Amino acid sequence: MKFTVVSPEIYTYGAMLIGGVLRDEGYNVSLSTKLSVKPKETLMLSLFSTQHLLSDEIKKLVKDHRSKGGKVYVGGPVSAYFEMVLGELEPDCVCVGEGEETVKKLAGDGVSNDFPGLAFYDDGSEIVFTGKAERVDVNKRPLPLIPPDIGSQDIRGASAYIETHRGCTGGCTFCQVPRYFGRDIQSRSVEDILKEVREFKKRGAKRLSVSGGTGSLFQYKNGEINEEKFIELMKGMAEIMGPKNISSPDIRVDCISDNILEAIRNYTIGWIFFGLESGSDRVLKKMGKGATANQAAEAVAACHEHGLKAAGSFIVGYPGETEEDYEMTKDFITMNQLDDVFISIAEPIPKTPLADLVLRTPDEENPVFVPHTDEYKALKITEAEARSFDLMMHADLFRTNMRPVTNDIFDIYLKNVRKDGDDIRRATAVLRKYYGE
Ligand code: SF4
């Protein structure tokens, strides 16, 4: 049996990992970022965004392949909301949760209710869910299947984001990580990760990054950050790839220390990316961020004291965010000299607390739907889009490498926020269809 694992646009780590599982089981398997598959092959679709479920191209790929007798199995973070995956894409089944063990059984036995981790339609079009997949021992899983063109991939500067641990101690309401992998941390061994890093280098990867979540939670135990192991990992990765080719970008503001910052300076490209989200403690609390704006400001200052660059991401348009809250976010950016800034509109990923909140919030109280009536009224955008647009331009003026907003940039930002708003409204509509009252 031949498998093609498709992850749209980029080779995700999850897709490479599933490729590695199938390879080690003795199957002929290839990876692709293109939406195509040969008729006799089994298609494993690895999807990480709700937008994938709304994509006409992906729907067509699944439909065409199944109509020719091919099998289509879907996995990845979207599997957490398998009802929506089944309803929107109509694949043969969804591999729910951590997929390594499920995929082995699925490849051998096909769709069956004899093992956990699957969701599919029975003959009467009722959904069968065979139960939660067993948690995977991250030290017993195979090495990923690394595609030969990995060196040409560039995701925020990295050829790939590798997994060092699973889970996050945080409980941010908009984030899927703790719901998907849990809040306890399961870390890989340093040796296993370094073996993988060598393999990536051999296959042509130019720069590697530690995957999302919080890098310094690696080997976290009993409520303690394990500085020693984190430093050992960063040093080991830098020895293989060179320090200019390593990054550990995503870190919570409350998961840093002098030693961690020194290690990041010595063994990586020297950037930290904080999910700051808001300058308002009231909104941070609603988001379950577990950190205050003051802690965020201190973390940014600590990075600068250690000679590091600090980037921050912000979320606007969270239900309940007032004009005053938004002004506090602008003030935070004014006061804290960030080196780069990323802005997004609150997206209700299904089965997160934010999605539940969005379902409970009437449109006339949700900034993603409320028309903007102030400074940008003539642009006919919503309040969330106006805040996102305004904050992008504001951040360009106050980040360390100030960027003047030209007409072109104005147009690009406006186009982007309109698209973000449209995407989120479409995602909200489909959320209501499956999980509304
Ligand atoms: S700290 Fe980051 S990974 Fe953890 S729950 Fe919050 S957003 Fe998600």
Side-chain angles (χ1 to χ4, degrees), residues 260-291:
I260 283 170
L261 295 179
E262 278 302 293
I264 290 172
R265 195 189 62 191
N266 292 336
Y267 304 123
T268 80
I269 58 168
W271 275 83
I272 292 194
F273 184 101
F274 292 122
L276 302 177
E277 329 306 0
S278 174
S280 156
D281 283 343
R282 203 183 71 86
V283 173
L284 289 170
K285 200 163 173 206
K286 273 169 133 336
M287 290 176 171
K289 194 68 207 173

Side-chain angles (χ1 to χ4, degrees), residues 26-39:
Y27 294 105
N28 186 343
V29 52
S30 61
L31 296 174
S32 176
T33 58
K34 309 250 168 358
L35 296 179
S36 67
V37 59
K38 296 202 179 105

Side-chain angles (χ1 to χ4, degrees), residues 320-339:
E321 180 193 60
T322 62
E323 187 58 36
E324 196 186 353
D325 293 317
Y326 172 65
E327 287 300 326
M328 290 168 99
T329 301
K330 279 180 92 168
D331 290 348
F332 185 96
I333 290 175
T334 308
M335 306 292 291
N336 286 288
Q337 294 259 300
L338 286 158
D339 296 290

Side-chain angles (χ1 to χ4, degrees), residues 109-345:
D109 301 350
V111 177
S112 155
N113 51 15
D114 291 344
F115 54 91
L118 287 191
F120 53 91
Y121 282 125
D122 67 10
D123 294 342
S125 293
E126 289 293 319
I127 292 176
V128 176
F129 174 45
T130 63
K132 229 175 150 196
E134 290 155 33
R135 275 209 86 174
V136 171
D137 180 341
V138 289
N139 283 302
K140 290 202 180 131
R141 60 148 181 84
L143 291 178
L145 177 68
I146 303 168
D149 55 345
I150 191 72
S152 59
Q153 175 152 288
D154 185 340
I155 313 167
R156 276 163 59 195
S159 305
Y161 282 66
I162 65 166
E163 177 180 67
T164 58
H165 60 276
R166 286 186 184 174
C168 180
T169 54
C172 306
T173 56
F174 50 83
C175 176
Q176 209 187 358
V177 172
R179 277 107 215 156
Y180 196 78
F181 288 125
R183 291 181 79 173
D184 53 322
I185 306 294
Q186 233 209 109
S187 299
R188 299 174 66 196
S189 70
V190 173
E191 301 71 46
D192 200 34
I193 298 169
L194 295 185
K195 188 171 156 201
E196 182 174 307
V197 170
R198 280 187 208 99
E199 213 41 49
F200 267 103
K201 183 169 163 99
K202 210 160 89 191
R203 303 286 285 178
K206 297 192 177 80
R207 187 191 287 170
L208 291 180
S209 199
V210 167
S211 72
T214 281
S216 60
L217 286 176
F218 177 61
Q219 297 281 356
Y220 176 94
K221 235 182 230 139
N222 305 326
E224 300 279 342
I225 299 272
N226 192 335
E227 287 183 348
E228 206 182 304
K229 280 286 173 195
F230 178 75
I231 294 166
E232 185 186 337
L233 177 68
M234 290 293 105
K235 187 165 183 280
M237 288 177 71
E239 279 167 3
I240 298 166
M241 299 295 294
K244 293 275 169 277
N245 300 317
I246 291 296
S247 64
S248 177
D250 300 311
I251 294 197
R252 278 180 66 94
V253 297
D254 55 357
C255 291
I256 56 171
S257 67
D258 286 339
N259 290 335
I260 283 170
L261 295 179
E262 278 302 293
I264 290 172
R265 195 189 62 191
N266 292 336
Y267 304 123
T268 80
I269 58 168
W271 275 83
I272 292 194
F273 184 101
F274 292 122
L276 302 177
E277 329 306 0
S278 174
S280 156
D281 283 343
R282 203 183 71 86
V283 173
L284 289 170
K285 200 163 173 206
K286 273 169 133 336
M287 290 176 171
K289 194 68 207 173
T292 62
N294 207 22
Q295 277 175 289
E298 284 171 8
V300 172
C303 286
H304 290 153
E305 277 158 27
H306 283 268
L308 295 168
K309 303 265 192 200
S313 64
F314 295 87
I315 293 173
V316 293
Y318 196 90
E321 180 193 60
T322 62
E323 187 58 36
E324 196 186 353
D325 293 317
Y326 172 65
E327 287 300 326
M328 290 168 99
T329 301
K330 279 180 92 168
D331 290 348
F332 185 96
I333 290 175
T334 308
M335 306 292 291
N336 286 288
Q337 294 259 300
L338 286 158
D339 296 290
D340 208 350
V341 176
F342 301 86
I343 293 142
S344 59
I345 297 173

Side-chain angles (χ1 to χ4, degrees), residues 97-115:
E98 297 178 59
E100 289 93 332
E101 289 305 316
T102 312
V103 158
K104 278 187 209 168
K105 293 181 185 127
L106 183 60
D109 301 350
V111 177
S112 155
N113 51 15
D114 291 344
F115 54 91

